[in-house]
Amino acid sequence: MLHLHHCISARSFRPLWMLEELQLPYQLHMLPFPPRAKARWFLEENPLGTVPLMVQGETPNEVRMTESAAMCQYLAATHSDAGLDVVPTHPAYGAYLNWLHMSDATLTFPQTLVLRYGRFEPAERKQPQVVEDYSRWFLARLRAVEATVAHSDYLCAGRFTAADVAVGYALLLAQHLGLVEQCGPATQAYWQRLQARPGYQRAMAAQTRAAEEQDVPTTPAPDTRP
């Protein structure tokens, strides 16, 4: 059984979406956001106090992961028959890895600064210039997505892969930040295709249902205010 620790629409949505695409059994543990402040017990599970935390198996073979894009790659590779992986011998393997790493290191990173200094910090610590600068940074880096999906429905290998899940989360976060409208037309159409997937829709429903059942606030993490 896979155990995923998750806050609504935080980066942990990436592995949740993957689990629903793969239709794997899992247990979803919902946390209030931010967990390091509102669920201090979680620090015993993950000293970083962040989500996601994905745990599979038991000691001494237990798998514990905290990086969302790595979880996408791991789940795709360990369930390759589902077709969300790209194998090393495939011509698109390099592009696949590049998109997986770009999803967090290049696309989500500037958004975290927009979130922190535009929403999460108290009024006296907000930094409008940081918000503006890093919003522009994100949109500029998104040109790579625009150039690719202008000619293809998905990012690589001519099909939907874990890379689309990883990059798709950056677009979900952009939607919460009000930046999707500034994306190029091909990127907006791509985002609509991703949202139409049954796996995405099941993941969205699963997180809300689990939060309600576990008595955790249903406010999406990106919309949290101090």
Side-chain angles (χ1 to χ4, degrees):
M1 176 66 72
L2 282 155
H3 294 263
L4 178 63
H5 298 262
H6 173 54
C7 296
I8 287 190
S9 294
R11 274 184 272 198
S12 44
F13 188 78
R14 283 184 175 123
L16 176 58
W17 183 0
M18 282 292 298
L19 289 166
E20 287 294 344
E21 289 284 351
L22 296 167
Q23 298 190 55
L24 297 176
Y26 64 90
Q27 188 167 346
L28 193 58
H29 304 271
M30 301 301 299
L31 295 163
F33 184 84
R36 63 182 173 273
K38 296 185 177 180
R40 298 288 296 175
W41 62 265
F42 182 58
L43 293 170
E44 297 179 9
E45 293 290 331
N46 176 15
L48 298 175
T50 58
V51 292
L53 169 65
M54 189 175 77
V55 182
Q56 182 180 31
E58 298 179 356
T59 306
N61 299 315
E62 182 183 71
V63 174
R64 296 178 71 87
M65 302 181 71
T66 60
E67 292 297 322
S68 61
M71 291 175 195
C72 292
Q73 184 177 353
Y74 172 81
L75 291 168
T78 53
H79 300 84
S80 58
D81 56 331
L84 300 188
D85 191 26
V86 178
V87 298
T89 54
H90 194 287
Y93 182 63
Y96 172 68
L97 292 183
N98 198 64
W99 285 118
L100 281 170
H101 287 270
M102 180 185 288
S103 71
D104 222 17
T106 299
L107 296 179
T108 310
F109 163 69
Q111 293 176 301
T112 62
L113 293 172
V114 174
L115 282 169
R116 176 171 181 176
Y117 291 105
R119 295 188 176 182
F120 296 164
E121 292 285 355
E124 65 274 12
R125 285 183 52 81
K126 283 186 168 60
Q127 298 288 338
Q129 190 63 56
V130 171
V131 172
E132 180 179 349
D133 289 350
Y134 281 91
S135 294
R136 289 179 177 175
W137 181 353
F138 165 73
L139 292 166
R141 300 308 187 270
L142 207 60
R143 291 170 188 161
V145 176
E146 179 75 9
T148 299
V149 297
H151 306 289
S152 176
D153 283 349
Y154 300 109
L155 292 173
C156 61
R159 55 185 168 82
F160 179 83
T161 70
D164 295 293
V165 170
V167 171
Y169 175 71
L171 297 176
L172 172 61
L173 191 49
Q175 181 170 288
H176 281 281
L177 291 172
L179 295 174
V180 165
E181 295 77 8
Q182 298 179 58
C183 298
T187 301
Q188 292 190 43
Y190 168 63
W191 176 224
Q192 291 299 317
R193 286 194 295 278
L194 295 182
Q195 292 177 89
R197 293 188 63 84
Y200 175 88
Q201 295 173 8
R202 288 195 301 269
M204 292 295 290
Q207 64 175 1
T208 300
R209 182 173 60 251
E212 291 172 345
E213 291 173 352
Q214 297 173 36
D215 197 26
V216 171
T218 57
T219 302
D223 298 336
T224 301
R225 297 295 191 275

